Amino acid sequence: MDRANFFKDVYEVVRQIPKGRATSYGAIAQYLGVKSGARMVGWAMNASFTENNYVPAHRVVNRNGLLTGKHHFKNPNEMANLLREEGIEVEGNQIKNFADCFWDPSVELAL
DNA sequence: AAGCTGACTATGG
DNA sequence: GCCATAGCCAGCT
């Protein structure tokens, strides 16, 4: 596939994450069909900052529900803050009820 | 052009 | 249970 399309697809998926939910890089990568493209998803998020379209990257965390990407935000606290406002309980840099608010595109979007 | 890096994940010790 | 290693793909220097 076109890598540009891959990035675009990642953005679309992330934007479709419902409020109060969160997903993992691996889940998105798997949904896109990329076996181990989790890193690319994260990289796409980094590129999303350059995109004109806003992407709720704060809803994307690693497989452990850890807010690994918070450090890349303008304000690292903003990521946890946004998640907390959406009803997601955040313990330090990790989502407490991650399993409860986990949103799997492969299931929810059910392509 | 070639090599490094990176917001990951899984496996092994 | 925590630290180290490997596999992965695309962008950036």
Side-chain angles (χ1 to χ4, degrees), chain A residues 15 47-55:
Chain A
R15 289 198 205 97
S48 75
F49 282 91
T50 63
E51 285 287 313
N52 295 324
N53 303 325
Y54 170 71
V55 179

Side-chain angles (χ1 to χ4, degrees), chain A residues 54-75:
Chain A
Y54 170 71
V55 179
H58 60 275
R59 292 180 186 158
V60 185
V61 295
N62 73 343
R63 219 227 100 8
N64 289 315
L66 200 66
L67 281 56
T68 49
K70 62 182 288 184
H71 222 212
H72 288 259
F73 282 75
K74 297 178 178 67
N75 293 313

Side-chain angles (χ1 to χ4, degrees), chain A residues 58-111:
Chain A
H58 60 275
R59 292 180 186 158
V60 185
V61 295
N62 73 343
R63 219 227 100 8
N64 289 315
L66 200 66
L67 281 56
T68 49
K70 62 182 288 184
H71 222 212
H72 288 259
F73 282 75
K74 297 178 178 67
N75 293 313
N77 191 36
E78 184 175 307
M79 186 172 185
N81 187 26
L82 289 169
L83 289 171
R84 205 174 302 131
E85 283 194 49
E86 292 186 356
I88 300 176
E89 297 180 67
V90 180
E91 175 75 53
N93 62 333
Q94 184 175 22
I95 298 174
K96 292 166 70 175
N97 57 340
F98 179 59
D100 184 61
C101 65
F102 181 68
W103 181 84
D104 190 342
S106 303
V107 177
E108 302 302 318
L109 298 181
L111 184 64

Side-chain angles (χ1 to χ4, degrees), chain A residues 1-10 28-29 31-34:
Chain A
M1 69 171 72
D2 292 77
R3 38 249 188 285
N5 187 35
F6 170 73
F7 272 55
K8 184 180 178 184
D9 208 351
V10 173
I28 297 173
Y31 170 71
L32 295 178
V34 184

